[in-house]
Amino acid sequence: MKSGNTSDKPPVIVICGPTASGKSAAAVRVAETCAGVVINADSMQVYRELPVLTAQPTAADQARVPHRLYGSLSATERCTAGRWRSLALAEIDAAYVSGRIPIIVGGTGLYLKALMEGLAPVPPVPAEIRARARALHDELGAARFHAELARIDPLMAARLAAADTQRVLRAYEVVAATGTSLATFQRDTQQTDVAFLPLLLMPPRALLHAAI
């Protein structure tokens, strides 16, 4: 998976896999081999108050190679996929400027998807509209709520099954807040000008369970 690469920059290495698959250790070894910078893509490891609970890299590992976006935010701050993407892109640019290879490690699938595939420029949806949408869904049930979405946004309703609650709610919230279909925003998805080299770590399930 990659974005359109229009430059001569080497690809961003993306190391992904399930919990306890050895991503962090692999990233350190790769970074040592190719003069890389390890950039966190785990939604919990960005918070500085949770180093042990979220299994952030050890101080020894962080001393071996540069690590970025680990413990960089306070737990009182909200880190959305869009905010993390902006932070990660800045760290990717900084790595290239310093002559190093960016190595993304995660973690959180939504973050990786936002980085590699881009984000639609959807305006923020007010909390009261999200609350009304959820209340209406609870009142009508999945099928009738989907019919209501079809009334105000037939294009998105045709793409989504009634049982896909999260995406149906999102589509409803966007059109209710902006008067514009989510499909319209998705056509203007913001992408990057670098390529990505994904590496998936998938140990046998028995080894994962033992490690966890």
Side-chain angles (χ1 to χ4, degrees):
M1 184 182 298
K2 67 178 182 178
S3 64
N5 187 9
T6 59
S7 74
D8 59 356
K9 300 172 184 175
V12 176
I13 298 172
V14 180
I15 299 178
C16 51
T19 299
S21 58
K23 299 184 296 294
S24 296
V28 170
R29 292 196 298 271
V30 172
E32 288 180 326
T33 300
C34 68
V37 175
V38 179
I39 302 171
N40 170 50
D42 184 285
S43 62
M44 298 306 294
Q45 290 183 356
V46 298
Y47 295 116
R48 68 178 63 99
E49 291 87 352
L50 307 171
V52 176
L53 183 63
T54 61
Q56 291 181 25
T58 65
D61 281 342
Q62 295 195 46
R64 289 168 62 184
V65 296
H67 282 68
R68 302 290 184 263
L69 301 186
Y70 290 93
S72 55
L73 298 178
S74 166
T76 61
E77 299 180 72
R78 184 173 179 231
C79 189
T80 64
R83 182 178 183 185
W84 175 84
R85 181 176 186 268
S86 296
L87 294 171
L89 288 173
E91 294 295 350
I92 288 171
D93 286 342
Y96 284 135
V97 169
S98 66
R100 290 182 172 270
I101 303 297
I103 303 170
I104 305 293
V105 184
T108 302
L110 179 60
Y111 282 15
L112 297 177
K113 181 179 177 67
L115 178 64
M116 294 192 287
E117 299 182 9
L119 283 175
V122 183
V125 174
E128 58 270 22
I129 290 181
R130 293 200 304 271
R132 287 204 302 268
R134 172 60 67 177
L136 184 61
H137 187 278
D138 291 344
E139 176 187 344
L140 298 180
R144 290 172 61 198
F145 186 85
H146 188 268
E148 180 63 15
L149 175 63
R151 184 182 69 80
I152 60 176
D153 188 350
L155 183 57
M156 286 304 299
R159 295 182 181 182
L160 301 172
D164 193 350
T165 302
Q166 183 176 349
R167 289 184 173 85
V168 169
L169 277 169
R170 176 62 172 164
Y172 183 94
E173 293 166 2
V174 170
V175 72
T178 68
T180 301
S181 172
L182 179 58
T184 300
F185 291 110
Q186 290 175 339
R187 285 199 296 266
D188 298 324
T189 297
Q190 301 165 347
Q191 296 184 334
T192 65
D193 64 348
V194 298
F196 299 93
L197 176 61
L199 304 175
L200 174 63
L201 302 185
M202 188 60 71
R205 183 171 298 179
L207 294 181
L208 280 177
H209 287 176
I212 292 172

